[in-house]
Amino acid sequence: MSQSVESRTRIKSERYESGVIPYAKMGYWDADYVIKETDILALFRITPQPGVDPIEASAAIAGESSTATWTVVWTDLLTACDLYRAKAYRVDPVPNVADQYFAYIAYDIDLFEEGSIANLTASIIGNVFGFKAVKALRLEDMRMPVAYLKTFQGPATGLIVERERMDKFGRPFLGATVKPKLGLSGKNYGRVVYEGLKGGLDFLKDDENINSQPFMRWRERFLYSMEGVNKASASAGEIKGHYLNVTAATMEDMYERAEFSKEVGSIICMIDLVIGYTAIQSMAIWARKHDMILHLHRAGNSTYSRQKNHGMNFRVICKWMRMAGVDHIHAGTVVGKLEGDPLMIKGFYNTLLESDTDINLPQGLFFAQNWASLRKVVPVASGGIHAGQMHQLLDYLGDDVVLQFGGGTIGHPDGIQAGATANRVALESMVMARNEGRNYVAEGPQILRDAAKTCGPLQTALDLWKDISFNYTSTDTADFVETPTANI
Amino acid sequence: MRLTQGAFSFLPDLTDEQINKQLAYIVSKGLSANVEYTDDPHPRNSYWELWGLPLFDVKDASAVMYEISSCRKAKPNYYVKVNAFDNTRGIESCVMSFIVNRPANEPGFLLQRQDFEGRTMKYSLHSYATEKPEGARY
């Protein structure tokens, strides 16, 4: 005669009776949890399935992103299991939205391998995102403890050292992406690099999808681009660079391309976000070792960062990439053609540039963060911006940014050099006006018109692009304040 | 050619009034300022000569302007720039730099190329002015 499950069990604790019990009761919810200084904290936006209690859903997220499986396992008892259980400790309704909650979860530092973004993310954005009890899930923010940050290299170069190497202070860097993205031969490609730099830019840039295609293999691109860089540098007496994209199919290929970029004398090379966290960390270590600035193009991020209810917020990518060790990352323009609410963008920039940030809910910063002296990542503003917006760009983005005008340089009717010069003159005149204490945001258009009196290319740019703006409401906006993207 | 190092080199040379306003900005931000000069403007020449020590805790822009004027008077045919430093934790570096004097004639740089294997090229910049000895270049 078969016995019941209850009578067969040898474990005399309700918690470990075989079967399925609520996650909250399994030890993944603790409203009185006292956060340890060394805990890793995460904030998720959860949309529970109809009828699922938000606390239970939060506990389930804590469980599924740490030790839990769907049923009770006795092998827990072989471990100091309470330590390894993440704890959901606070659940707040999302302001002005029905059925969405912010769940705060704490993880003990020993849940994660030192210095490994891959290990961190395998837990935090692993299986849990497919979990059926929630309709949608979004990772909004994380707090990294100092003890954990100290196991990461951080940016290979960092803002301060990059400025010293580039000998450029007190103004944003200026760049442009070579266009068309695809199809140019090596020789024609290098022409664009030369013209843009000669006109006054600090950097030209490969686009994310220029690797080594039939129309131009990578060595051709590297050799001709460096001719352009050096020729322009000699004509201006300034240090200039071109981000050579070393993204490739395998790590071996990337190292080969990176080594060659160094051999040809480049000061900066570039990778795409799609190469993956481990490859990014490897390249950051390589870059530190070889005095190379490392630019990261965030190719692919909008696949999971743009929609508000599911995926992850870009500010978390910013945090991970500062830990992983890149020197540049595209982080939004506010006024350009790509997604970007002003407050959200400010939060991204502060995450990349500050040594210490406080809680700032309108900017989406849910935790205070001490960056443990990790260097600063330079945000890159790229996509649909032009000289006529210079006052807004300086106001929203400040000095510590690379302003990257692709179409806004190469699309200039008088040529690429003229386009570059227009941007440089617009930038310098705006920085000067700001320093002079003028109300440069309000007077911006007049400041530009005045500067154009001694710079024909700027006048042409202002005339051509005066009506260009991208006034769409962003999808990823602050939950605590709504702001339209002003763009006038 | 026109050397375009510094923050405002694409604009017409700054007038003293414009320089004064920038100095007032430096003072208002609590930065320290220093004046440097050189006749070797190679972009990798990190160490221009110091015109005295940096002015720390400077409260008055005219003190910096006085140093600029003295430097210009003593070194009329040199490049002179003003730098501002921020000693805030996490910055601790130069945060502003612009040229306030340049020689009448700027001969510029020669790009020297040395062919290497596999079509690679070793590039170096050579400043024409440095063909003459220091102090007799411009």
Side-chain angles (χ1 to χ4, degrees):
Chain A
M1 212 173 95
S2 68
Q3 289 173 292
S4 71
V5 169
E6 287 74 28
S7 54
R8 269 190 291 135
T9 185
R10 296 181 181 197
I11 303 170
K12 302 301 175 202
S13 156
E14 267 183 40
R15 166 64 178 79
Y16 291 99
E17 281 173 12
S18 296
V20 178
I21 58 175
Y23 286 88
K25 289 211 172 115
M26 280 201 276
Y28 298 106
W29 166 253
D30 182 356
D32 301 321
Y33 181 73
V34 180
I35 297 163
K36 299 194 295 285
E37 223 174 274
T38 52
D39 281 344
I40 286 156
L41 305 179
L43 179 98
F44 289 93
R45 175 197 301 264
I46 55 174
T47 313
Q49 293 285 7
V52 175
D53 173 58
I55 287 183
E56 172 60 11
S58 306
I61 299 306
E64 289 295 323
S65 60
S66 59
T67 57
T69 184
W70 57 277
T71 184
V72 173
V73 292
W74 65 268
T75 41
D76 266 352
L77 292 173
L78 303 175
T79 70
C81 51
D82 193 52
L83 179 84
Y84 301 112
R85 282 184 198 123
K87 308 281 188 304
Y89 61 90
R90 177 174 163 189
V91 177
D92 297 337
V94 174
N96 310 316
V97 189
D99 307 324
Q100 286 188 10
Y101 299 87
F102 287 132
Y104 290 77
I105 298 176
Y107 301 81
D108 187 86
I109 191 170
D110 279 353
L111 264 62
F112 307 104
E113 179 178 346
E114 302 86 345
S116 170
I117 301 283
N119 180 251
L120 175 75
T121 54
S123 283
I124 305 288
I125 56 166
N127 284 352
V128 63
F129 273 72
F131 190 52
K132 278 183 179 167
V134 288
K135 240 187 342 199
L137 182 63
R138 189 181 199 220
L139 178 59
E140 290 286 348
D141 197 9
M142 292 190 76
R143 190 281 303 259
M144 304 296 173
V146 168
Y148 186 57
L149 287 179
K150 282 290 184 191
T151 67
F152 286 86
Q153 172 193 276
T157 312
L159 166 75
I160 303 298
V161 175
E162 176 169 345
R163 284 199 177 280
E164 291 187 346
R165 280 193 204 164
M166 297 295 297
D167 186 38
K168 294 181 200 303
F169 306 100
R171 66 164 172 85
F173 294 105
L174 269 185
T177 310
V178 174
K179 305 281 172 184
K181 296 159 89 124
L182 302 171
L184 291 170
S185 72
K187 190 170 181 201
N188 291 337
Y189 196 91
R191 163 66 73 185
V192 181
V193 173
Y194 171 63
E195 298 286 330
L197 294 177
K198 170 138 199 211
L201 304 185
D202 306 310
F203 292 119
L204 260 281
K205 172 183 175 293
D206 286 342
D207 226 328
E208 76 283 6
N209 53 356
I210 194 87
N211 293 167
S212 188
Q213 284 100 322
F215 53 83
M216 174 174 54
R217 299 299 178 187
W218 64 276
R219 292 175 70 96
E220 290 294 298
R221 172 162 50 92
F222 285 24
L223 289 167
Y224 283 112
S225 296
M226 289 317 294
E227 173 70 18
V229 168
N230 286 290
K231 222 170 122 63
S233 207
S235 76
E238 273 188 275
I239 297 173
K240 293 173 180 290
H242 174 71
Y243 319 161
L244 291 170
N245 190 348
V246 302
T247 298
T250 67
M251 207 58 223
E252 291 73 22
D253 287 343
M254 282 208 289
Y255 280 134
E256 186 191 2
R257 293 177 192 187
E259 291 288 348
F260 190 63
S261 77
K262 183 186 142 207
E263 204 179 300
V264 297
S266 187
I267 53 163
I268 184 164
C269 67
M270 158 182 170
I271 50 175
D272 291 339
L273 184 59
V274 290
I275 67 173
Y277 303 132
T278 298
I280 290 170
Q281 284 194 265
S282 291
M283 288 307 300
I285 288 163
W286 182 91
R288 167 82 58 94
K289 197 168 157 191
H290 294 95
D291 295 320
M292 189 71 81
I293 301 167
L294 185 63
H295 177 95
L296 178 79
H297 188 112
R298 57 172 169 171
N301 88 93
S302 286
T303 324
Y304 44 82
S305 71
R306 190 172 183 193
Q307 298 304 323
K308 233 173 141 172
N309 66 339
H310 191 81
M312 61 192 294
N313 193 290
F314 187 69
R315 81 178 63 85
V316 181
I317 299 279
C318 290
K319 285 197 174 169
W320 293 350
M321 289 304 106
R322 188 166 177 182
M323 293 155 72
V326 303
D327 293 315
H328 287 186
I329 184 170
H330 291 243
T333 63
V334 181
V335 295
K337 70 178 178 183
L338 302 178
E339 174 75 26
D341 172 81
L343 283 168
M344 296 286 100
I345 302 280
K346 193 79 195 142
F348 304 158
Y349 276 53
N350 288 344
T351 295
L352 296 168
L353 287 167
E354 294 297 317
S355 306
D356 245 308
T357 48
D358 284 327
I359 294 173
N360 186 329
L361 297 180
Q363 290 181 12
L365 305 177
F366 287 86
F367 302 108
Q369 177 70 56
N370 174 343
W371 275 100
S373 304
L374 253 59
R375 287 177 169 184
K376 301 168 177 186
V377 183
V378 187
V380 177
S382 174
I385 55 177
H386 57 83
Q389 301 163 323
M390 201 56 83
H391 49 299
Q392 296 170 307
L393 291 166
L394 193 62
D395 179 41
Y396 283 126
L397 309 177
D399 275 349
D400 293 329
V401 59
V402 185
L403 298 176
Q404 212 140 268
F405 303 86
T409 300
I410 295 153
H412 194 285
D414 300 331
I416 301 167
Q417 272 191 41
T421 304
N423 289 326
R424 178 81 177 259
V425 170
L427 177 70
E428 292 192 354
S429 59
M430 204 55 69
V431 169
M432 182 179 273
R434 179 199 60 189
N435 296 358
E436 286 175 353
R438 291 177 66 180
N439 182 358
Y440 68 98
V441 181
E443 297 172 33
Q446 187 57 46
I447 292 166
L448 292 172
R449 278 195 294 274
D450 289 346
K453 283 178 193 156
T454 53
C455 178
L458 178 56
Q459 188 59 57
T460 307
L462 295 176
D463 292 343
L464 181 67
W465 289 311
K466 62 179 184 299
D467 297 323
I468 300 296
S469 60
F470 299 90
N471 289 317
Y472 303 100
T473 305
S474 292
T475 52
D476 183 25
T477 48
D479 291 291
F480 296 87
V481 186
E482 293 285 347
T483 38
T485 306
N487 191 1
I488 300 148
Chain B
M1 62 88 75
R2 181 180 172 86
L3 187 78
T4 50
Q5 296 171 20
F8 305 125
S9 287
F10 268 72
L11 304 178
D13 285 344
L14 277 66
T15 63
D16 281 3
E17 191 195 344
Q18 286 176 308
I19 292 170
N20 258 316
K21 286 179 178 168
Q22 297 299 314
L23 299 178
Y25 176 75
I26 291 172
V27 170
S28 74
K29 292 276 171 189
L31 307 172
S32 52
N34 82 324
V35 178
E36 298 183 359
Y37 64 94
T38 193
D39 62 356
D40 174 13
H42 190 286
R44 294 284 184 204
N45 175 12
S46 300
Y47 306 113
W48 292 25
E49 301 305 324
L50 295 173
W51 181 256
L53 290 181
L55 294 117
F56 295 100
D57 296 320
V58 59
K59 300 279 186 283
D60 185 357
S62 62
V64 189
M65 198 65 208
Y66 174 80
E67 298 298 336
I68 293 173
S69 306
S70 318
C71 183
R72 278 171 168 170
K73 203 183 279 175
K75 306 282 175 188
N77 268 324
Y78 281 61
Y79 289 97
V80 179
K81 68 181 171 187
V82 182
N83 293 336
F85 293 94
D86 185 346
N87 64 2
T88 308
R89 178 93 180 94
I91 300 177
E92 296 157 291
S93 180
C94 182
V95 290
M96 196 175 160
S97 177
F98 59 97
I99 291 176
V100 292
N101 196 64
R102 54 178 78 230
N105 177 37
E106 300 179 85
F109 301 87
L110 169 70
L111 178 64
Q112 288 174 324
R113 298 181 181 82
Q114 188 188 356
D115 277 312
F116 229 63
E117 55 188 48
R119 293 177 54 239
T120 54
M121 198 74 80
K122 298 288 173 197
Y123 296 99
S124 65
L125 292 198
H126 169 69
S127 164
Y128 291 114
T130 57
E131 284 161 15
K132 291 184 217 147
E134 198 175 334
R137 287 172 180 166
Y138 291 97

